[in-house]
């Protein structure tokens, strides 16, 4: 499998995206302005992720990370895979919806998750915009990338509806 075109990304992403994609496939399902993502092990064929959902808020011009639990911490030798998968998913989502750079990437999380994860994502430069009662809203300007996201495959249409069912 040829490596995807990663030149627009940072050195960090150029190193970690190929490692991620060598071990995992990423699939998606779209419904309205939402996209569910699934991370599947190439070795076992099993889905390892849980709750990966991004939504487009057209009114506020935001790409909203609704849920992001890729579950890499349960796998050996996956350091930085969460960052690489989020980068790929956001750019895939933006390309799918033809989003211009006048949008922001938004996520609501806990302050400790911001400190441990989102603050270190230099490709996005997340910063706090509001904090209250153990939650923090983060925003980053969306910067378009020409990264090839064609390796993100759609799930079969019969499985798409199940992707958006609330458990």
């Amino acid at each position: 499998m040829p490596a995807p075109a990663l030149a627009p990304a940072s050195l960090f992403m150029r190193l970690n995206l190929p490692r991620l994609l060598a071990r995992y496939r990423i699939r998606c399902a779209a419904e309205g302005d939402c996209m569910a993502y699934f991370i599947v092990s190439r070795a076992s064929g099993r889905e390892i992720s849980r709750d990966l959902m991004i939504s487009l808020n057209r009114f506020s011009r935001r790409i909203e990370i609704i849920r992001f639990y890729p579950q890499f911490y349960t796998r050996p030798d996956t350091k930085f895979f969460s960052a690489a998968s989020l980068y790929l998913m956001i750019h895939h989502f933006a390309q799918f919806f033809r989003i211009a750079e006048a949008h922001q990437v938004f996520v609501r999380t806990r302050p400790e998750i911001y400190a441990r994860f989102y603050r270190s994502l230099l490709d996005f430069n997340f910063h706090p915009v509001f904090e209250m009662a153990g939650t923090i809203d983060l925003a980053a300007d969306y910067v378009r990338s020409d990264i090839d996201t064609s390796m993100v495959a759609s799930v079969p249409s019969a499985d798409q509806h199940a992707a958006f069912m609330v458990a």
Side-chain angles (χ1 to χ4, degrees), residues 34-61:
C34 291
M35 184 90 60
Y37 288 91
F38 313 91
I39 298 172
V40 179
S41 168
R42 290 187 182 277
S44 70
R46 289 191 183 135
E47 183 180 327
I48 67 152
S49 61
R50 176 174 78 82
D51 293 332
L52 303 173
M53 182 87 53
I54 300 176
S55 179
L56 177 60
N57 184 324
R58 293 178 188 274
F59 178 74
S60 63
R61 301 176 67 89

PDB file of all heavy atoms in Angstrom, residues 34-61:
ATOM      1  N   CYS A  34     -23.184  15.058  10.319  1.00  0.00           N
ATOM      2  CA  CYS A  34     -22.357  14.301  11.268  1.00  0.00           C
ATOM      3  C   CYS A  34     -21.604  13.182  10.558  1.00  0.00           C
ATOM      4  O   CYS A  34     -22.064  12.654   9.546  1.00  0.00           O
ATOM      5  CB  CYS A  34     -23.215  13.672  12.359  1.00  0.00           C
ATOM      6  SG  CYS A  34     -23.939  14.871  13.479  1.00  0.00           S
ATOM      7  N   MET A  35     -20.471  12.838  11.138  1.00  0.00           N
ATOM      8  CA  MET A  35     -19.673  11.740  10.617  1.00  0.00           C
ATOM      9  C   MET A  35     -19.206  10.905  11.805  1.00  0.00           C
ATOM     10  O   MET A  35     -18.658  11.437  12.761  1.00  0.00           O
ATOM     11  CB  MET A  35     -18.466  12.281   9.842  1.00  0.00           C
ATOM     12  CG  MET A  35     -17.603  11.258   9.176  1.00  0.00           C
ATOM     13  SD  MET A  35     -18.071  10.823   7.487  1.00  0.00           S
ATOM     14  CE  MET A  35     -17.971  12.351   6.614  1.00  0.00           C
ATOM     15  N   ALA A  36     -19.470   9.605  11.727  1.00  0.00           N
ATOM     16  CA  ALA A  36     -18.964   8.666  12.725  1.00  0.00           C
ATOM     17  C   ALA A  36     -17.744   7.992  12.119  1.00  0.00           C
ATOM     18  O   ALA A  36     -17.731   7.666  10.927  1.00  0.00           O
ATOM     19  CB  ALA A  36     -20.020   7.628  13.073  1.00  0.00           C
ATOM     20  N   TYR A  37     -16.719   7.790  12.946  1.00  0.00           N
ATOM     21  CA  TYR A  37     -15.488   7.145  12.485  1.00  0.00           C
ATOM     22  C   TYR A  37     -15.251   5.874  13.285  1.00  0.00           C
ATOM     23  O   TYR A  37     -15.655   5.769  14.443  1.00  0.00           O
ATOM     24  CB  TYR A  37     -14.293   8.095  12.644  1.00  0.00           C
ATOM     25  CG  TYR A  37     -14.309   9.218  11.641  1.00  0.00           C
ATOM     26  CD1 TYR A  37     -14.933  10.421  11.927  1.00  0.00           C
ATOM     27  CD2 TYR A  37     -13.716   9.063  10.386  1.00  0.00           C
ATOM     28  CE1 TYR A  37     -14.960  11.452  11.003  1.00  0.00           C
ATOM     29  CE2 TYR A  37     -13.737  10.086   9.458  1.00  0.00           C
ATOM     30  CZ  TYR A  37     -14.368  11.276   9.769  1.00  0.00           C
ATOM     31  OH  TYR A  37     -14.393  12.287   8.839  1.00  0.00           O
ATOM     32  N   PHE A  38     -14.554   4.933  12.654  1.00  0.00           N
ATOM     33  CA  PHE A  38     -14.267   3.639  13.258  1.00  0.00           C
ATOM     34  C   PHE A  38     -12.821   3.291  12.960  1.00  0.00           C
ATOM     35  O   PHE A  38     -12.375   3.399  11.823  1.00  0.00           O
ATOM     36  CB  PHE A  38     -15.174   2.554  12.673  1.00  0.00           C
ATOM     37  CG  PHE A  38     -16.609   2.966  12.629  1.00  0.00           C
ATOM     38  CD1 PHE A  38     -17.123   3.595  11.509  1.00  0.00           C
ATOM     39  CD2 PHE A  38     -17.431   2.758  13.720  1.00  0.00           C
ATOM     40  CE1 PHE A  38     -18.449   4.001  11.466  1.00  0.00           C
ATOM     41  CE2 PHE A  38     -18.760   3.159  13.687  1.00  0.00           C
ATOM     42  CZ  PHE A  38     -19.266   3.790  12.558  1.00  0.00           C
ATOM     43  N   ILE A  39     -12.095   2.861  13.980  1.00  0.00           N
ATOM     44  CA  ILE A  39     -10.712   2.434  13.803  1.00  0.00           C
ATOM     45  C   ILE A  39     -10.695   0.922  13.915  1.00  0.00           C
ATOM     46  O   ILE A  39     -11.162   0.356  14.905  1.00  0.00           O
ATOM     47  CB  ILE A  39      -9.790   3.079  14.847  1.00  0.00           C
ATOM     48  CG1 ILE A  39      -9.825   4.601  14.672  1.00  0.00           C
ATOM     49  CG2 ILE A  39      -8.368   2.544  14.717  1.00  0.00           C
ATOM     50  CD1 ILE A  39      -9.121   5.371  15.759  1.00  0.00           C
ATOM     51  N   VAL A  40     -10.160   0.258  12.882  1.00  0.00           N
ATOM     52  CA  VAL A  40     -10.193  -1.197  12.781  1.00  0.00           C
ATOM     53  C   VAL A  40      -8.763  -1.726  12.676  1.00  0.00           C
ATOM     54  O   VAL A  40      -7.967  -1.235  11.866  1.00  0.00           O
ATOM     55  CB  VAL A  40     -11.015  -1.644  11.545  1.00  0.00           C
ATOM     56  CG1 VAL A  40     -11.036  -3.151  11.410  1.00  0.00           C
ATOM     57  CG2 VAL A  40     -12.428  -1.076  11.621  1.00  0.00           C
ATOM     58  N   SER A  41      -8.461  -2.709  13.487  1.00  0.00           N
ATOM     59  CA  SER A  41      -7.139  -3.327  13.461  1.00  0.00           C
ATOM     60  C   SER A  41      -6.954  -4.086  12.149  1.00  0.00           C
ATOM     61  O   SER A  41      -7.806  -4.887  11.760  1.00  0.00           O
ATOM     62  CB  SER A  41      -7.000  -4.297  14.637  1.00  0.00           C
ATOM     63  OG  SER A  41      -5.860  -5.109  14.475  1.00  0.00           O
ATOM     64  N   ARG A  42      -5.858  -3.862  11.475  1.00  0.00           N
ATOM     65  CA  ARG A  42      -5.562  -4.614  10.246  1.00  0.00           C
ATOM     66  C   ARG A  42      -5.257  -6.074  10.574  1.00  0.00           C
ATOM     67  O   ARG A  42      -5.602  -6.964   9.819  1.00  0.00           O
ATOM     68  CB  ARG A  42      -4.388  -3.992   9.503  1.00  0.00           C
ATOM     69  CG  ARG A  42      -4.710  -2.655   8.874  1.00  0.00           C
ATOM     70  CD  ARG A  42      -3.556  -2.170   7.995  1.00  0.00           C
ATOM     71  NE  ARG A  42      -3.849  -0.875   7.441  1.00  0.00           N
ATOM     72  CZ  ARG A  42      -4.587  -0.670   6.347  1.00  0.00           C
ATOM     73  NH1 ARG A  42      -5.107  -1.687   5.710  1.00  0.00           N
ATOM     74  NH2 ARG A  42      -4.806   0.553   5.902  1.00  0.00           N
ATOM     75  N   ALA A  43      -4.626  -6.326  11.713  1.00  0.00           N
ATOM     76  CA  ALA A  43      -4.236  -7.691  12.087  1.00  0.00           C
ATOM     77  C   ALA A  43      -5.436  -8.553  12.433  1.00  0.00           C
ATOM     78  O   ALA A  43      -5.552  -9.687  11.967  1.00  0.00           O
ATOM     79  CB  ALA A  43      -3.256  -7.653  13.262  1.00  0.00           C
ATOM     80  N   SER A  44      -6.356  -8.028  13.228  1.00  0.00           N
ATOM     81  CA  SER A  44      -7.479  -8.847  13.696  1.00  0.00           C
ATOM     82  C   SER A  44      -8.785  -8.577  12.972  1.00  0.00           C
ATOM     83  O   SER A  44      -9.700  -9.384  13.024  1.00  0.00           O
ATOM     84  CB  SER A  44      -7.704  -8.613  15.197  1.00  0.00           C
ATOM     85  OG  SER A  44      -8.219  -7.311  15.417  1.00  0.00           O
ATOM     86  N   GLY A  45      -8.895  -7.423  12.318  1.00  0.00           N
ATOM     87  CA  GLY A  45     -10.144  -7.051  11.673  1.00  0.00           C
ATOM     88  C   GLY A  45     -11.181  -6.518  12.654  1.00  0.00           C
ATOM     89  O   GLY A  45     -12.306  -6.223  12.269  1.00  0.00           O
ATOM     90  N   ARG A  46     -10.800  -6.368  13.912  1.00  0.00           N
ATOM     91  CA  ARG A  46     -11.729  -5.901  14.943  1.00  0.00           C
ATOM     92  C   ARG A  46     -11.680  -4.387  15.089  1.00  0.00           C
ATOM     93  O   ARG A  46     -10.616  -3.777  15.003  1.00  0.00           O
ATOM     94  CB  ARG A  46     -11.383  -6.510  16.297  1.00  0.00           C
ATOM     95  CG  ARG A  46     -11.679  -7.962  16.375  1.00  0.00           C
ATOM     96  CD  ARG A  46     -11.568  -8.411  17.819  1.00  0.00           C
ATOM     97  NE  ARG A  46     -11.788  -9.837  17.891  1.00  0.00           N
ATOM     98  CZ  ARG A  46     -11.057 -10.667  18.587  1.00  0.00           C
ATOM     99  NH1 ARG A  46     -10.037 -10.209  19.299  1.00  0.00           N
ATOM    100  NH2 ARG A  46     -11.332 -11.939  18.609  1.00  0.00           N
ATOM    101  N   GLU A  47     -12.841  -3.831  15.367  1.00  0.00           N
ATOM    102  CA  GLU A  47     -12.921  -2.408  15.662  1.00  0.00           C
ATOM    103  C   GLU A  47     -12.391  -2.177  17.072  1.00  0.00           C
ATOM    104  O   GLU A  47     -12.791  -2.860  18.007  1.00  0.00           O
ATOM    105  CB  GLU A  47     -14.367  -1.937  15.566  1.00  0.00           C
ATOM    106  CG  GLU A  47     -14.528  -0.463  15.778  1.00  0.00           C
ATOM    107  CD  GLU A  47     -15.972  -0.008  15.688  1.00  0.00           C
ATOM    108  OE1 GLU A  47     -16.752  -0.587  14.904  1.00  0.00           O
ATOM    109  OE2 GLU A  47     -16.310   0.928  16.419  1.00  0.00           O
ATOM    110  N   ILE A  48     -11.474  -1.228  17.209  1.00  0.00           N
ATOM    111  CA  ILE A  48     -10.912  -0.955  18.537  1.00  0.00           C
ATOM    112  C   ILE A  48     -11.448   0.342  19.121  1.00  0.00           C
ATOM    113  O   ILE A  48     -11.333   0.571  20.312  1.00  0.00           O
ATOM    114  CB  ILE A  48      -9.371  -0.895  18.514  1.00  0.00           C
ATOM    115  CG1 ILE A  48      -8.887   0.303  17.711  1.00  0.00           C
ATOM    116  CG2 ILE A  48      -8.780  -2.176  17.995  1.00  0.00           C
ATOM    117  CD1 ILE A  48      -7.552   0.810  18.166  1.00  0.00           C
ATOM    118  N   SER A  49     -12.001   1.197  18.295  1.00  0.00           N
ATOM    119  CA  SER A  49     -12.422   2.517  18.749  1.00  0.00           C
ATOM    120  C   SER A  49     -13.815   2.481  19.356  1.00  0.00           C
ATOM    121  O   SER A  49     -14.566   1.528  19.192  1.00  0.00           O
ATOM    122  CB  SER A  49     -12.405   3.499  17.582  1.00  0.00           C
ATOM    123  OG  SER A  49     -13.296   3.062  16.581  1.00  0.00           O
ATOM    124  N   ARG A  50     -14.118   3.575  20.035  1.00  0.00           N
ATOM    125  CA  ARG A  50     -15.434   3.730  20.640  1.00  0.00           C
ATOM    126  C   ARG A  50     -15.775   5.207  20.570  1.00  0.00           C
ATOM    127  O   ARG A  50     -14.988   6.054  20.974  1.00  0.00           O
ATOM    128  CB  ARG A  50     -15.358   3.249  22.086  1.00  0.00           C
ATOM    129  CG  ARG A  50     -16.589   3.418  22.903  1.00  0.00           C
ATOM    130  CD  ARG A  50     -16.419   2.766  24.262  1.00  0.00           C
ATOM    131  NE  ARG A  50     -15.632   3.539  25.188  1.00  0.00           N
ATOM    132  CZ  ARG A  50     -16.099   4.549  25.920  1.00  0.00           C
ATOM    133  NH1 ARG A  50     -17.353   4.913  25.793  1.00  0.00           N
ATOM    134  NH2 ARG A  50     -15.324   5.195  26.749  1.00  0.00           N
ATOM    135  N   ASP A  51     -16.911   5.518  20.045  1.00  0.00           N
ATOM    136  CA  ASP A  51     -17.411   6.890  20.074  1.00  0.00           C
ATOM    137  C   ASP A  51     -16.487   7.900  19.413  1.00  0.00           C
ATOM    138  O   ASP A  51     -15.882   8.746  20.072  1.00  0.00           O
ATOM    139  CB  ASP A  51     -17.684   7.322  21.516  1.00  0.00           C
ATOM    140  CG  ASP A  51     -18.823   6.563  22.155  1.00  0.00           C
ATOM    141  OD1 ASP A  51     -19.713   6.128  21.419  1.00  0.00           O
ATOM    142  OD2 ASP A  51     -18.805   6.420  23.384  1.00  0.00           O
ATOM    143  N   LEU A  52     -16.378   7.843  18.112  1.00  0.00           N
ATOM    144  CA  LEU A  52     -15.643   8.849  17.343  1.00  0.00           C
ATOM    145  C   LEU A  52     -16.662   9.575  16.471  1.00  0.00           C
ATOM    146  O   LEU A  52     -17.164   8.999  15.502  1.00  0.00           O
ATOM    147  CB  LEU A  52     -14.577   8.196  16.469  1.00  0.00           C
ATOM    148  CG  LEU A  52     -13.541   7.330  17.180  1.00  0.00           C
ATOM    149  CD1 LEU A  52     -12.652   6.614  16.173  1.00  0.00           C
ATOM    150  CD2 LEU A  52     -12.708   8.159  18.119  1.00  0.00           C
ATOM    151  N   MET A  53     -16.981  10.804  16.823  1.00  0.00           N
ATOM    152  CA  MET A  53     -18.041  11.520  16.118  1.00  0.00           C
ATOM    153  C   MET A  53     -17.645  12.985  15.949  1.00  0.00           C
ATOM    154  O   MET A  53     -17.203  13.637  16.902  1.00  0.00           O
ATOM    155  CB  MET A  53     -19.335  11.431  16.919  1.00  0.00           C
ATOM    156  CG  MET A  53     -20.520  12.087  16.296  1.00  0.00           C
ATOM    157  SD  MET A  53     -21.459  11.074  15.145  1.00  0.00           S
ATOM    158  CE  MET A  53     -21.805   9.628  16.090  1.00  0.00           C
ATOM    159  N   ILE A  54     -17.815  13.471  14.721  1.00  0.00           N
ATOM    160  CA  ILE A  54     -17.549  14.873  14.405  1.00  0.00           C
ATOM    161  C   ILE A  54     -18.796  15.434  13.737  1.00  0.00           C
ATOM    162  O   ILE A  54     -19.448  14.746  12.951  1.00  0.00           O
ATOM    163  CB  ILE A  54     -16.323  15.023  13.480  1.00  0.00           C
ATOM    164  CG1 ILE A  54     -15.075  14.439  14.146  1.00  0.00           C
ATOM    165  CG2 ILE A  54     -16.092  16.490  13.116  1.00  0.00           C
ATOM    166  CD1 ILE A  54     -13.832  14.453  13.261  1.00  0.00           C
ATOM    167  N   SER A  55     -19.111  16.682  14.050  1.00  0.00           N
ATOM    168  CA  SER A  55     -20.308  17.309  13.505  1.00  0.00           C
ATOM    169  C   SER A  55     -19.969  18.689  12.962  1.00  0.00           C
ATOM    170  O   SER A  55     -19.075  19.373  13.476  1.00  0.00           O
ATOM    171  CB  SER A  55     -21.363  17.436  14.620  1.00  0.00           C
ATOM    172  OG  SER A  55     -22.529  18.055  14.132  1.00  0.00           O
ATOM    173  N   LEU A  56     -20.711  19.099  11.965  1.00  0.00           N
ATOM    174  CA  LEU A  56     -20.545  20.426  11.381  1.00  0.00           C
ATOM    175  C   LEU A  56     -21.632  21.340  11.927  1.00  0.00           C
ATOM    176  O   LEU A  56     -22.820  21.066  11.763  1.00  0.00           O
ATOM    177  CB  LEU A  56     -20.632  20.359   9.857  1.00  0.00           C
ATOM    178  CG  LEU A  56     -20.554  21.687   9.110  1.00  0.00           C
ATOM    179  CD1 LEU A  56     -19.239  22.400   9.406  1.00  0.00           C
ATOM    180  CD2 LEU A  56     -20.719  21.458   7.619  1.00  0.00           C
ATOM    181  N   ASN A  57     -21.241  22.403  12.597  1.00  0.00           N
ATOM    182  CA  ASN A  57     -22.171  23.421  13.050  1.00  0.00           C
ATOM    183  C   ASN A  57     -22.086  24.542  12.032  1.00  0.00           C
ATOM    184  O   ASN A  57     -21.166  25.370  12.088  1.00  0.00           O
ATOM    185  CB  ASN A  57     -21.814  23.897  14.454  1.00  0.00           C
ATOM    186  CG  ASN A  57     -22.814  24.880  15.004  1.00  0.00           C
ATOM    187  OD1 ASN A  57     -23.363  25.702  14.274  1.00  0.00           O
ATOM    188  ND2 ASN A  57     -23.037  24.818  16.313  1.00  0.00           N
ATOM    189  N   ARG A  58     -23.001  24.540  11.084  1.00  0.00           N
ATOM    190  CA  ARG A  58     -22.955  25.512   9.985  1.00  0.00           C
ATOM    191  C   ARG A  58     -23.177  26.941  10.475  1.00  0.00           C
ATOM    192  O   ARG A  58     -22.584  27.878   9.952  1.00  0.00           O
ATOM    193  CB  ARG A  58     -23.980  25.145   8.920  1.00  0.00           C
ATOM    194  CG  ARG A  58     -23.643  23.853   8.208  1.00  0.00           C
ATOM    195  CD  ARG A  58     -24.708  23.463   7.176  1.00  0.00           C
ATOM    196  NE  ARG A  58     -24.475  22.146   6.649  1.00  0.00           N
ATOM    197  CZ  ARG A  58     -23.673  21.881   5.627  1.00  0.00           C
ATOM    198  NH1 ARG A  58     -23.025  22.845   5.031  1.00  0.00           N
ATOM    199  NH2 ARG A  58     -23.523  20.635   5.209  1.00  0.00           N
ATOM    200  N   PHE A  59     -24.036  27.109  11.483  1.00  0.00           N
ATOM    201  CA  PHE A  59     -24.351  28.440  11.994  1.00  0.00           C
ATOM    202  C   PHE A  59     -23.128  29.119  12.604  1.00  0.00           C
ATOM    203  O   PHE A  59     -22.828  30.272  12.320  1.00  0.00           O
ATOM    204  CB  PHE A  59     -25.480  28.353  13.030  1.00  0.00           C
ATOM    205  CG  PHE A  59     -25.826  29.671  13.636  1.00  0.00           C
ATOM    206  CD1 PHE A  59     -26.535  30.629  12.904  1.00  0.00           C
ATOM    207  CD2 PHE A  59     -25.444  29.978  14.925  1.00  0.00           C
ATOM    208  CE1 PHE A  59     -26.844  31.852  13.460  1.00  0.00           C
ATOM    209  CE2 PHE A  59     -25.754  31.203  15.493  1.00  0.00           C
ATOM    210  CZ  PHE A  59     -26.458  32.146  14.761  1.00  0.00           C
ATOM    211  N   SER A  60     -22.388  28.386  13.447  1.00  0.00           N
ATOM    212  CA  SER A  60     -21.217  28.978  14.097  1.00  0.00           C
ATOM    213  C   SER A  60     -19.918  28.712  13.339  1.00  0.00           C
ATOM    214  O   SER A  60     -18.851  29.104  13.804  1.00  0.00           O
ATOM    215  CB  SER A  60     -21.096  28.480  15.534  1.00  0.00           C
ATOM    216  OG  SER A  60     -20.899  27.089  15.545  1.00  0.00           O
ATOM    217  N   ARG A  61     -20.019  28.028  12.193  1.00  0.00           N
ATOM    218  CA  ARG A  61     -18.865  27.731  11.347  1.00  0.00           C
ATOM    219  C   ARG A  61     -17.799  26.967  12.125  1.00  0.00           C
ATOM    220  O   ARG A  61     -16.636  27.348  12.164  1.00  0.00           O
ATOM    221  CB  ARG A  61     -18.300  29.011  10.722  1.00  0.00           C
ATOM    222  CG  ARG A  61     -19.328  29.746   9.869  1.00  0.00           C
ATOM    223  CD  ARG A  61     -18.819  31.039   9.324  1.00  0.00           C
ATOM    224  NE  ARG A  61     -17.767  30.869   8.355  1.00  0.00           N
ATOM    225  CZ  ARG A  61     -17.921  30.712   7.041  1.00  0.00           C
ATOM    226  NH1 ARG A  61     -19.124  30.681   6.534  1.00  0.00           N
ATOM    227  NH2 ARG A  61     -16.893  30.595   6.259  1.00  0.00           N
TER     228      ARG A  61
END
